Amino acid sequence: MLNEQMFEYGSKSSVIRELFAYGLERKKIVGEDKVYDFSLGNPSIPAPMEVKKALMELLEEPAEALHGYSPASGDPEVRKTLAESLNRRFGTSYTEDNLYMTVGAAASLRISIQAIANPEDEFITVAPFFPEYSVWVADAQARLLVTPADTKNFQIHFDSLKQMITPKTKGIIINSPNNPSGVVYSEETIQRLALLLEQKQREYQTTIYLITDEPYREIVYDNLSVPYVPRYYNNTILCYSYSKSLSLPGERIGYILTPDEADDAARLKAAIAGAGRALGYVCAPVLFQKAIARCADLKTNISAYEKNRDLLYHGLTSLGYECVRPQGAFYLFVKSPEPDAGAFSERAKKYDLLIVPSDSFGCPGYVRISYCVAEKTIKDALPAFASLIKEYQ
Ligand code: PLP
């Protein structure tokens, strides 16, 4: 007898994957450049040359060290280098003890949730949210509650959040810059959130962790700066990844940052290590641990994403689409011209436009367009978007 829940996770593919697979088949029929695939969040900017250079240099090093195990939490020298880089950027005083290396943000989140959740504990996230949170929280035998989206500006719907926090609340999961809205939570939002959580901690005499999912931290436009969450709230667990910032999603590399200011920080760090051990997420790939340490202060040139954002946002709004102006990540969140975003996404297929309905992000009535694609794809797709909207006018 199988574990039915695992069977279900493994056999049901996500809407995004389904669209992507449909696109591959469709391309065989009508040609590569006739299908406008905006389904996946796979970075289109190549990894910076410095990453390749670091890898080439590393490959000259003795193989035993390069391909051998590191400690479960990651190479101490790598963690020290990353901690120092964060200290330079954010004025913090981290050491290697504050970091646990992971195979990307997915593992960072899954470990963090496991480290703090007891069965029946509650986590709250904010719509629209990354759908895998539901799987990760359920797998830790906890419950995920979702604060409805604040569709005015896609910040946080504080009235709802306030009502949802109870003595059972173990953690709040946020993601900014946000997938799928592209919105960056403002400093005011983070300050308000921190105040609310502190007030609730005092009221219930509990610890409420703020898990901040930040794979898009470095992908922001208009010279905007993303508030550094641990600065505002002590019980923060920061989940980071190089998947998007260095365009390395296939290499599976990231970290969890646990600040010393968190309640019972030493026990929390031990629980993170314990959860990593229990889940089998130990010793992240050593070659890439070392490579990212050599690129710790590197900033990828994201001007191609910014150009795409402007082209798509201006193109679609001038056609009459209602869009949230993205400040970060590489997604545009567009209001569906009919209430059922699934039906709208189906209709878009007629024009070979592959856009993701928002229902699985907990915010029905929108579609997500991933603009981490070639500029030409956007230019070529705009006439198709024009034909699509005409059906509603
Ligand atoms: N969180 C968000 C919001 C994401 O968009 C993604 C990937 O798209 C992840 C987590 C997982 O990232 P990783 O590839 O680093 O595991």
Side-chain angles (χ1 to χ4, degrees):
M1 185 68 176
L2 298 175
N3 179 317
E4 285 304 315
Q5 185 61 71
M6 295 304 135
F7 171 75
E8 200 178 306
Y9 291 152
S11 45
K12 264 198 204 152
S13 115
S14 74
V15 185
I16 301 175
R17 289 276 155 196
E18 271 172 24
L19 266 178
F20 178 66
Y22 169 85
L24 291 180
E25 287 308 309
R26 187 76 187 139
K27 280 176 183 173
K28 285 184 200 157
I29 302 166
V30 296
E32 283 277 331
D33 60 338
K34 299 286 182 301
V35 179
Y36 313 113
D37 184 355
F38 298 104
S39 62
L40 289 189
N42 212 4
S44 54
I45 293 178
M49 278 308 289
E50 287 86 341
V51 175
K52 183 173 176 185
K53 188 167 167 277
L55 287 169
M56 304 281 269
E57 285 168 8
L58 282 165
L59 289 173
E60 297 300 322
E61 291 194 356
E64 314 85 81
L66 201 55
H67 303 302
Y69 286 118
S70 73
S73 55
D75 182 304
E77 277 303 310
V78 168
R79 288 184 285 133
K80 184 163 176 274
T81 305
L82 299 182
E84 286 167 356
S85 171
L86 290 169
N87 295 343
R88 281 192 293 278
R89 285 180 67 190
F90 301 114
T92 46
S93 46
Y94 301 135
T95 68
E96 59 269 34
D97 285 348
N98 298 103
L99 292 166
Y100 184 98
M101 303 306 297
T102 64
V103 283
S108 300
L109 282 146
R110 181 66 189 87
I111 294 171
S112 302
I113 293 164
Q114 188 70 48
I116 58 178
N118 286 299
E120 308 305 318
D121 278 348
E122 290 182 353
F123 286 77
I124 304 173
T125 194
V126 180
F129 67 98
F130 189 58
E132 294 302 284
Y133 296 165
S134 309
V135 177
W136 298 330
V137 170
D139 200 38
Q141 290 170 33
R143 285 185 64 209
L144 183 69
L145 310 179
V146 180
T147 300
D150 180 353
T151 50
K152 277 198 302 294
N153 52 19
F154 287 89
Q155 297 281 320
I156 295 176
H157 199 299
F158 278 101
D159 290 344
S160 304
L161 179 60
K162 200 169 171 181
Q163 292 195 348
M164 284 174 142
I165 300 175
T166 71
K168 284 187 178 175
T169 306
K170 186 50 73 73
I172 312 290
I173 308 176
I174 58 168
N175 163 230
S176 165
N178 185 266
N179 172 10
S181 73
V183 163
V184 176
Y185 289 162
S186 65
E187 183 174 36
E188 192 199 337
T189 293
I190 300 298
Q191 275 170 338
R192 230 177 129 183
L193 179 60
L195 266 177
L196 173 64
L197 298 186
E198 270 154 19
Q199 183 210 324
K200 290 289 181 185
Q201 288 191 137
R202 273 196 304 277
E203 186 180 336
Y204 300 135
Q205 292 295 300
T206 53
T207 296
I208 304 174
Y209 294 98
L210 179 56
I211 298 181
T212 176
D213 177 18
E214 304 195 354
Y216 302 96
R217 153 170 289 280
E218 267 64 64
I219 305 181
V220 278
Y221 313 118
D222 310 325
N223 295 320
L224 205 74
S225 88
V226 181
Y228 186 62
V229 180
R231 188 176 286 153
Y232 299 86
Y233 186 66
N234 288 346
N235 286 320
T236 294
I237 303 176
L238 193 154
C239 295
Y240 189 78
S241 148
Y242 294 88
S243 297
K244 318 287 174 170
S245 58
L246 291 184
S247 299
L248 294 173
E251 306 302 351
R252 316 306 302 136
I253 193 77
Y255 61 74
I256 302 168
L257 179 124
T258 316
D260 287 331
E261 291 76 18
D263 293 351
D264 237 348
R267 281 173 55 81
L268 176 61
K269 286 182 220 167
I272 297 270
R277 178 182 175 192
L279 293 164
Y281 284 142
V282 289
C283 176
V286 172
L287 177 61
F288 272 87
Q289 286 190 47
K290 294 191 177 194
I292 51 133
R294 287 177 182 230
C295 301
D297 294 326
L298 188 65
K299 279 212 77 175
T300 306
N301 179 353
I302 56 161
S303 55
Y305 293 147
E306 189 157 11
K307 212 166 162 197
N308 281 358
R309 186 234 8 204
D310 293 340
L311 190 62
L312 193 61
Y313 177 77
H314 294 305
L316 293 192
T317 47
S318 61
L319 288 171
Y321 288 94
E322 225 181 283
C323 311
V324 182
R325 185 165 191 272
Q327 302 156 303
F330 34 54
Y331 306 105
L332 185 69
F333 211 43
V334 181
K335 197 157 183 348
S336 165
E338 59 182 304
D340 181 352
F344 176 53
S345 163
E346 269 308 308
R347 197 181 288 249
K349 279 183 179 169
K350 234 169 61 183
Y351 301 95
D352 286 312
L353 290 167
L354 307 186
I355 52 183
V356 179
S358 61
D359 301 58
S360 61
F361 299 108
C363 178
Y366 290 78
V367 287
R368 186 191 79 172
I369 303 182
S370 298
Y371 57 83
C372 43
V373 295
E375 188 184 346
K376 182 176 178 326
T377 306
I378 297 177
K379 283 187 173 153
D380 292 352
L382 285 174
F385 277 113
S387 308
L388 176 61
I389 194 92
K390 274 205 192 99
E391 292 202 23
Y392 297 92
Q393 285 164 344

